[in-house]
Amino acid sequence: MASIPSGHVYVRHLDPLPGTAPEIPEIVRLPDPDPDSPDNPATGKWWPPVMLSAQWIDANADLFDVFHIHFGFDALDPRDLQEVVAALRRNGKPLVYTVHDLRNPHHESPAAHDAHLDVLIPGADALITLTEGAAAEIEHRWGRRPDVIAHPHVVEPQTMAQYARRAEEAGSGGPYRVGVHVKSLRASMDPLPVIRVLLELAREDGGMVVQVNGHCDVLEPGGARYDAELAQFLERKSRSGELELHIHDFLPDDQLWDYLAGLDLSVLPYRFGTHSGWLEACRDLGTAVAAPDCGFYADQGPVFGYSHNEDGLDAASLKAAVRAARHAGPPAPLEPRARAEQRNAIAARHAELYAELLERSGVLQ
């Protein structure tokens, strides 16, 4: 299997949990080549994907049976993607494409991503997406209905169990903590209006802490993506004690899980989008999520919805969502065993799909 990429957590969790499902055929995924040394496996860095080229496919077609694209084609010209599809055709290799994003969260305009989708969706031998809503939009726009296969867990089940025990021992108490993560400020994010409304709500309702976490490249002068308006606003409000501000680089998983588990509610500040791995991590850790209605987040799992899109934010709906989440109390934690069983079912469905494609192409008889 040539998975683009293979090192992403979503792709890793398409395999069954080790030692739990011997009946599911083993899928061997090629390691991501190192972009800086293509003859060697990557050591953490997989972008830009080396395998996503017609030249690599022609030279390495004997190494894989199925080519599965997830992420990583953002910077390619659509003609390069068309050459990838053509190379797979001439080498007799099936193409699977999982449509994670119908709108690229890094692009201000949908035009470039639409051009990529216009190559990949018609050109794939099999399509997957994560929600029924996304599948319906794909069918409406391209006339093809993808298989809908849910997003697997993000946090490992044993880690989920540890946080569930920790939460049970800690019990309730303290102010209601609402978090907004501005990380590296993708084009899809519009956090400042969201944060302003949350601060209003905190003043109106009391007993609530607004916590904002962001990366150094956005919130420190000299950062590659420094946003002066956002950074200066957050600094002022932090000094006045109206919010808690945490500035840091990318957090390792253990620190990221601590941070998310410490929130009562995580507010996704998106004005466009499709699906969210962040949402899945919050579900794994028992943290409620407030999500906008611009994507298919509510199809992924229970969220407290509010209205936010490229036309702007509906402040009243955001306040109502936060109040509803606070009134509801902590969500029932996902059972680690249920998440593990779901992962194995997801792995089995992928294995079935790959086998169907190989039977159709004559590789499996």
Side-chain angles (χ1 to χ4, degrees):
M1 178 66 55
S3 290
I4 316 300
S6 67
H8 192 282
V9 63
Y10 171 92
V11 179
R12 296 200 310 270
H13 288 181
L14 298 184
D15 292 330
L17 277 167
T20 64
E23 72 281 3
I24 300 175
E26 181 183 7
I27 305 298
V28 177
R29 287 183 171 81
L30 301 180
D32 298 309
D34 187 338
D36 299 319
S37 179
D39 292 332
N40 298 308
T43 55
K45 178 186 176 185
W46 55 263
W47 193 92
V50 173
M51 292 190 283
L52 201 57
S53 76
Q55 293 77 14
W56 186 92
I57 292 166
D58 285 335
N60 296 278
D62 59 340
L63 297 181
F64 66 92
D65 299 300
V66 178
F67 200 83
H68 192 157
I69 297 176
H70 292 274
F71 311 107
F73 52 83
D74 308 42
L76 290 184
D77 188 284
R79 290 171 294 185
D80 296 327
L81 274 183
Q82 194 66 64
E83 289 179 5
V84 165
V85 173
L88 293 168
R89 290 283 178 273
R90 65 175 168 264
N91 286 285
K93 303 297 180 178
L95 169 61
V96 181
Y97 173 44
T98 295
V99 188
H100 292 269
D101 297 310
L102 282 163
R103 177 74 186 271
N104 190 307
H106 302 284
H107 295 176
E108 287 285 350
S109 164
H113 193 64
D114 284 350
H116 290 146
L117 296 180
D118 283 340
V119 174
L120 291 174
I121 291 177
D125 296 284
L127 290 173
I128 298 169
T129 194
L130 310 182
T131 58
E132 292 290 345
E137 181 170 337
I138 291 163
E139 186 173 28
H140 174 73
R141 291 173 62 181
W142 287 277
R144 297 191 65 185
R145 184 78 180 186
D147 278 352
V148 177
I149 305 177
H151 196 300
H153 66 92
V154 173
V155 181
E156 295 296 339
Q158 63 268 28
T159 305
M160 291 173 57
Q162 292 169 4
Y163 278 96
R165 287 194 297 271
R166 192 181 303 179
E168 187 175 350
E169 291 167 1
S172 58
Y176 191 75
R177 185 169 293 269
V178 179
V180 179
H181 196 77
V182 302
K183 46 183 176 181
S184 288
L185 212 59
R186 297 172 174 178
S188 63
M189 300 175 72
D190 192 13
L192 192 50
V194 169
I195 295 166
R196 290 183 189 276
V197 171
L198 294 176
L199 292 177
E200 288 179 13
L201 183 60
R203 290 192 293 270
E204 292 168 5
D205 288 11
M208 188 174 109
V209 171
V210 177
Q211 176 178 331
V212 179
N213 285 56
H215 290 167
C216 300
D217 62 339
V218 171
L219 298 180
E220 290 187 345
R225 297 181 179 86
Y226 180 61
D227 185 315
E229 180 186 13
L230 176 63
Q232 291 166 13
F233 174 86
L234 294 177
E235 182 60 33
R236 288 197 306 273
K237 296 302 180 180
S238 175
R239 285 199 306 268
S240 68
E242 293 175 75
L243 60 76
E244 281 189 16
L245 178 60
H246 301 266
I247 302 174
H248 48 74
D249 286 318
F250 285 88
L251 296 174
D253 283 353
D254 57 343
Q255 294 180 36
L256 180 59
W257 306 155
D258 277 344
Y259 152 45
L260 288 181
L263 301 177
D264 294 294
L265 178 70
S266 181
V267 179
L268 307 184
Y270 305 144
R271 62 193 180 103
F272 60 82
T274 311
H275 300 118
S276 171
W278 188 270
L279 185 159
E280 297 290 346
C282 287
R283 295 183 68 211
D284 291 338
L285 294 165
T287 299
V289 174
D293 57 3
C294 55
F296 302 103
Y297 309 112
D299 283 11
Q300 283 187 250
V303 299
F304 295 90
Y306 71 98
S307 181
H308 192 194
N309 54 44
E310 291 178 274
D311 293 328
L313 168 67
D314 181 335
S317 71
L318 176 57
K319 289 182 179 181
V322 176
R323 285 172 172 146
R326 189 173 183 179
H327 178 75
L334 293 176
E335 288 288 339
R337 178 176 294 181
R339 272 301 224 186
E341 290 173 352
Q342 181 197 39
R343 171 172 167 176
N344 288 350
I346 289 167
R349 181 62 195 116
H350 279 79
E352 290 169 5
L353 180 61
Y354 299 149
E356 290 166 9
L357 290 172
L358 293 174
E359 286 173 7
R360 197 184 311 164
S361 65
V363 174
L364 293 180
Q365 299 297 331

